[in-house]
Amino acid sequence: MAANQLPQGISAEAFAAACDEMRGVVGNEWLIRDNVQHLNSYRDTYSPGDIDATAPSAAVAPKDVTEVQKILAVARKYKIPLWTVSTGRNYGYGGAAPRKAGCVVLDLKRMNRIIEVNEKHAYAVVEPGVSYHELYQHLKQRDIKLWPDPAAPAWGGVLGNTADRGVGYTPYGEHFTVQCGMQVVLADGTVVETGMGSTANASTRNLYKYGHGAWVDGIFTQSNFGVITQMGVWLLPEPPGYRPYMVTFPEEDDIHQITELVRPLKISMLIPNAATTVGLIWEAAVKVSKAQYYTGSGVMPDSARRKMAADLDIGNWNFYGALYGPDPIMDNNWEVIKESFSQVPGAKFYFAEDRKGDAAFDYRAKLMRGIPNMTEFGLLNWLGPGSHVDFSPMSPVTGDGALQQFHFMRDTCHKFGVDYIGEFLIGWRDMHHVLMLVFKRDDEAHKRVIKELFEVLVDEATSKGYGEYRTHLDYMDKISGTYNWNNRALARVNEAIKDALDPDGILSPGKSGIWPRKDRDA
Amino acid sequence: MSTRRGFLASTLAVTTVPLVARAGVLSDAPMVRIITESTCADTLRFAARFGIHSSVVGGDPAEYLFDLERDLRDHKIDLVYGLSRASTQFLVEQTALPHGYQFGYQGQHRYIKQRLLHSLSGTRESIDIVAGRLEWHTRPWAVELADALGVLGSSVAPTQHSEVSAASVIPKDSSRHLVSWLLRPVA
Ligand SMILES: Cc1cc2nc3c(=O)[nH]c(=O)nc-3n(C[C@H](O)[C@H](O)[C@H](O)COP(=O)(O)OP(=O)(O)OC[C@H]3O[C@@H](n4cnc5c(N)ncnc54)[C@H](O)[C@@H]3O)c2cc1C
């Protein structure tokens, strides 16, 4: 553990003085530097990469906006780079660790108030430290009939996940789409309310997203232009009925037809929720490990895959969706959905009563009705003690797109001896194709394979015209480099905003490939 | 075997017991949070040893993780001891780290070709004793491991490593790979 890590270009004396001043703001307990265990919790031990390259020098946890402003003032004074996290559970994409070693993690977990839940208009306003679990419990304890939309890990945060443009599984699964109203502290300490929040009484702050003039909320996501300190999110009113279902499909190449069938159902909102088409191993791995079916090296052979699929009564693809509404509407929609998917030879249909005791169905059913849980972490046991890094290209909702992506990602994985563990998360007009590259945490050789594979996947995706929606710290420069049309016009806009809003470069340097001028020049 | 001081009604695969050192019950014995899960016969045996019944052992770590976080914060427990899949260990570790906890003991238990291989790390005295018990066990190994809490409770750091194996039939429902651990606050 590099406990004596310093921010680049900062002397030990200056850093000690900066830490003293930050300690003066938040109190001794919340400037985390000497408590090695606590500081270790900000390291990305989940990563296949060199975790010293993203090790923080310290962490600081303010309790409110005033303390955030004071910390920013210290950072400006000493030119200390900060790395903002909210709940800091971004595993697969970097955890709470900074892009650049030596940054001080600005940890907002203590700012954990649920500021408002508005039942009439179905929204909540939260501070950064509010986890999905906490919001869900808050609603449940008060018998408020509104559903949050959790990402798969319950300990993730409503604000942090949205800030990284994460996804969930109810009809409100595209998190940034249901964000409305934001409070941001800029690097110079100015507090900004976006959109309607900037009007005199802000009565529509969390109802109408855009306000008047340029709409800026988006620039504060997956970026380093400010510190978000409040966010409004719309919540789904509890529908009168809920029926989760699963459809299994036997063949790998069925993904083409499934996707063609899903598109009209999604666009017309007959399937209202963020549905998923889940690959065989992803579906199986929360229940069984690879060693139960195959103890050889390399990719699981087809015979073992088929045996596993038969034992678990699952398909090579497994579609999860849900019906919401009064019974007649659900009955009616089901007729259409069932008729559609029945066109795929071998499709099988299941409701909850058909899959009692099935951990995978159970956690999906919870997620699609807004109940946070942690079951999906079971996937990491596929190879024994494991972690994962996500490769996540976007795909159009077309059979050709899905099949092409699936083929090249599967085949590339197989060349490296790695199983394809993937799923498609289906939005209105897009799919997040998430490939979980699971590796053995204690096997350095395996980690090297995964890192090499990741690089190849990015290159192949780029050559085929696909871009990733989000990525791990180690690949932020590489992925942002693929968004390079017209001589990096988009990157140059980001850099201009960065230089204007944060001239000292103190906020999250390198987030999504956006570097402050001093780092670009270096 | 540790005596029981009660259950947490809101949690499933979890109980809290006072640590009974080999010297006997101490009046202010450290409180140990036991964490396991319902994934296979081995973990269920471990659970049963602490009075956790299979009918209430859940599979979703969220059922106990947030209670663990609260109880660590409120200093209601001193040690955390578990037998589980590796993913659960990761979640518990990440929950305990910010509270100044580290592993005092870690074990891996792998079924390989009709043998069960235990890789154990802890302080020398405790590991020697536990390794012996796991190698020459007469009762199911998970029961031995549960009962080793009194010994492992004093393990402060994984300095000694030991590997032992025993012939074993692979249980039908086994994931082939379990881990055990003891987390304790850094002195
Ligand atoms: C098994 C498993 C399953 C997963 N499933 C999903 C899933 O279903 N959906 C999904 O989206 N992700 C998923 N993830 C990834 C990740 O765990 C979640 O997205 C998680 O919600 C992110 O962590 P967080 O919510 O604590 O956000 P944080 O770690 O707090 O924030 C994430 C990032 O957003 C930015 N940010 C955070 N707060 C602020 C702020 N206040 N101001 C400015 N920028 C900020 C920072 O760059 C930060 O690194 C999964 C991971 C695992 C291991």
Side-chain angles (χ1 to χ4, degrees):
Chain A
M1 167 63 208
N4 53 1
Q5 184 95 50
L6 291 171
Q8 191 186 344
I10 307 291
S11 70
E13 295 71 32
F15 188 57
C19 284
D20 280 346
E21 288 192 33
M22 288 194 264
R23 199 175 281 118
V25 175
V26 295
N28 195 36
E29 186 186 354
W30 297 112
L31 188 280
I32 299 125
R33 196 184 171 204
D34 301 327
N35 179 340
V36 176
Q37 268 62 44
H38 199 165
L39 189 54
N40 275 348
S41 70
Y42 296 96
R43 286 164 69 89
D44 186 17
T45 52
Y46 197 83
S47 158
D50 170 11
I51 64 168
D52 286 337
T54 59
S57 54
V60 61
K63 70 171 186 311
D64 56 26
V65 168
T66 307
E67 287 192 359
V68 171
Q69 290 172 302
K70 288 182 180 165
I71 296 296
L72 293 177
V74 178
R76 286 196 306 275
K77 177 174 164 190
Y78 291 94
K79 309 279 183 278
I80 304 276
L82 304 170
W83 180 266
T84 310
V85 300
S86 289
T87 31
R89 301 298 194 183
N90 209 5
Y91 299 110
Y93 297 107
R99 165 70 184 82
K100 188 174 164 181
C103 285
V104 174
V105 177
L106 179 62
D107 180 354
L108 304 179
K109 69 175 168 219
R110 291 176 69 211
M111 297 174 65
N112 60 358
R113 288 178 307 155
I114 296 169
I115 291 171
E116 182 187 0
V117 172
N118 189 309
E119 289 192 65
K120 186 169 168 185
H121 296 294
Y123 69 80
V125 180
V126 295
E127 287 191 326
V130 177
S131 69
Y132 289 115
H133 172 78
E134 283 159 346
L135 180 58
Y136 174 75
Q137 291 298 332
H138 180 97
L139 299 169
K140 194 172 139 191
Q141 280 156 16
R142 288 159 186 78
D143 198 25
I144 297 172
K145 304 276 185 230
L146 297 172
W147 293 358
D149 183 280
W155 63 6
V158 180
L159 191 153
N161 181 282
T162 308
D164 224 18
R165 297 206 291 269
V167 289
Y169 305 90
T170 77
Y172 285 15
E174 173 68 58
H175 290 164
F176 190 55
T177 304
V178 293
Q179 173 271 337
C180 188
M182 206 185 255
Q183 183 190 72
V184 187
V185 184
L186 302 181
D188 69 2
T190 307
V191 182
V192 180
E193 284 281 347
T194 65
M196 304 309 293
S198 229
T199 58
N201 69 5
S203 60
T204 53
R205 178 199 193 217
N206 306 109
L207 305 178
Y208 179 65
K209 287 156 81 87
Y210 309 109
H212 176 254
W215 179 53
V216 297
D217 296 42
I219 68 166
F220 297 107
T221 63
Q222 281 196 13
S223 73
N224 46 20
F225 301 151
V227 177
I228 309 168
T229 46
Q230 275 186 33
M231 190 182 275
V233 289
W234 292 337
L235 302 174
L236 183 72
E238 183 173 302
Y242 170 67
R243 267 185 239 160
Y245 61 87
M246 174 198 193
V247 191
T248 63
F249 303 94
E251 302 302 330
E252 286 193 321
D253 284 2
D254 287 342
I255 190 66
H256 188 286
Q257 196 179 0
I258 300 165
T259 309
E260 282 297 307
L261 294 169
V262 164
R263 186 181 54 250
L265 298 173
K266 271 298 300 178
I267 289 184
S268 62
M269 292 199 259
L270 271 165
I271 296 175
N273 74 308
T276 44
T277 313
V278 185
L280 170 71
I281 296 181
W282 190 310
E283 180 65 17
V286 292
K287 295 180 278 199
V288 295
S289 69
K290 184 171 181 174
Q292 285 173 257
Y293 286 92
Y294 179 60
T295 49
S297 62
V299 174
M300 194 175 188
D302 197 49
S303 54
R305 290 168 54 89
R306 289 200 179 271
K307 165 97 174 81
M308 184 171 76
D311 284 359
L312 300 176
D313 192 16
I314 59 179
N316 255 310
W317 294 104
N318 304 278
F319 180 86
Y320 279 101
L323 305 164
Y324 304 81
D327 280 332
I329 291 189
M330 291 197 290
D331 292 343
N332 181 66
N333 288 1
W334 180 241
E335 284 308 307
V336 182
I337 292 165
K338 188 168 184 192
E339 194 183 306
S340 269
F341 285 136
S342 295
Q343 295 172 53
V344 184
K348 288 199 227 162
F349 299 85
Y350 303 90
F351 284 112
E353 56 273 23
D354 308 315
R355 307 224 45 122
K356 285 208 175 84
D358 178 341
F361 187 97
D362 191 49
Y363 90 83
R364 297 266 175 196
K366 283 183 180 166
L367 288 176
M368 291 187 291
R369 66 140 298 166
I371 303 177
N373 62 83
M374 302 288 280
T375 305
E376 197 167 81
F377 275 85
L379 264 167
L380 307 177
N381 303 306
W382 178 240
L383 301 173
S387 288
H388 89 277
V389 62
D390 273 331
F391 174 69
S392 328
M394 297 302 297
S395 166
V397 193
T398 60
D400 289 349
L403 192 66
Q404 186 192 32
Q405 278 199 1
F406 167 60
H407 277 176
F408 93 74
M409 285 160 65
R410 178 200 59 191
D411 295 349
T412 310
C413 284
H414 286 188
K415 269 185 217 147
F416 283 77
V418 172
D419 293 310
Y420 168 88
I421 307 181
E423 72 172 3
F424 290 89
L425 283 94
I426 308 144
W428 269 347
R429 285 165 178 78
D430 62 73
M431 296 197 292
H432 295 63
H433 185 178
V434 179
L435 173 68
M436 261 205 182
L437 294 168
V438 175
F439 57 90
K440 297 179 205 157
R441 283 182 84 191
D442 50 5
D443 183 339
E444 291 306 317
H446 197 219
K447 289 183 187 178
R448 279 195 296 278
V449 168
I450 294 294
K451 286 188 288 185
E452 214 183 305
L453 166 59
F454 200 105
E455 301 275 347
V456 174
L457 284 166
V458 177
D459 292 341
E460 285 213 30
T462 308
S463 72
K464 293 178 167 54
Y466 298 115
E468 288 75 55
Y469 96 100
R470 180 181 181 190
T471 198
H472 182 271
L473 299 170
D474 291 349
Y475 303 99
M476 284 179 178
D477 287 344
K478 184 162 177 112
I479 301 289
S480 72
T482 67
Y483 286 74
N484 59 4
W485 183 76
N486 193 18
N487 190 23
R488 298 181 64 250
L490 181 59
R492 283 183 285 121
V493 171
N494 284 332
E495 287 164 2
I497 298 173
K498 181 70 182 163
D499 294 346
L501 292 183
D502 181 16
D504 295 313
I506 56 165
L507 292 180
S508 301
K511 174 71 188 179
S512 305
I514 307 167
W515 291 96
R517 184 184 295 282
K518 62 181 177 197
D519 292 299
R520 299 200 303 272
D521 292 347
Chain B
M1 181 60 205
S2 305
T3 56
R4 259 151 239 130
R5 201 184 269 178
F7 298 94
L8 296 178
S10 61
T11 55
L12 295 178
V14 169
T15 187
T16 308
V17 298
L19 180 69
V20 182
R22 273 175 301 149
V25 186
L26 306 172
S27 56
D28 56 350
M31 295 307 292
V32 191
R33 175 61 46 89
I34 307 295
I35 291 183
T36 186
E37 52 198 357
S38 62
T39 40
C40 62
D42 291 329
T43 50
L44 287 173
R45 279 193 195 108
F46 183 86
R49 214 51 205 151
F50 293 101
I52 310 169
H53 302 294
S54 58
S55 59
V56 295
V57 179
D60 172 13
E63 287 158 5
Y64 51 77
L65 214 55
F66 298 99
D67 289 343
L68 175 69
E69 155 77 16
R70 183 201 56 217
D71 291 344
L72 288 168
R73 196 180 51 228
D74 297 348
H75 305 290
K76 283 198 179 149
I77 46 180
D78 304 291
L79 304 173
V80 191
Y81 184 51
L83 174 68
S84 68
R85 295 170 304 163
S87 58
T88 300
Q89 181 194 30
F90 172 77
L91 299 175
V92 172
E93 179 193 3
Q94 294 307 313
T95 302
L97 271 179
H99 300 280
Y101 276 65
Q102 70 176 19
F103 286 114
Y105 153 78
Q106 275 184 283
Q108 294 204 32
H109 315 277
R110 275 168 291 175
Y111 288 98
I112 303 171
K113 296 188 179 138
Q114 306 305 318
R115 291 197 75 75
L116 176 58
L117 178 67
H118 304 280
S119 313
L120 313 169
S121 304
T123 37
R124 173 182 276 278
E125 197 201 0
S126 56
I127 288 308
D128 286 349
I129 295 171
V130 175
R133 286 194 196 169
L134 292 179
E135 193 170 12
W136 304 113
H137 62 94
T138 46
R139 299 176 301 163
W141 70 272
V143 171
E144 292 288 356
L145 194 71
D147 287 2
L149 171 59
V151 176
L152 291 172
S154 58
S155 181
V156 287
T159 45
Q160 166 87 0
H161 186 75
S162 181
E163 293 214 345
V164 290
S165 74
S168 176
V169 176
I170 303 175
K172 201 166 151 276
D173 58 353
S174 168
S175 69
R176 309 286 200 272
H177 200 137
L178 292 171
V179 291
S180 55
W181 74 90
L182 181 104
L183 279 155
R184 64 179 323 120
V186 178

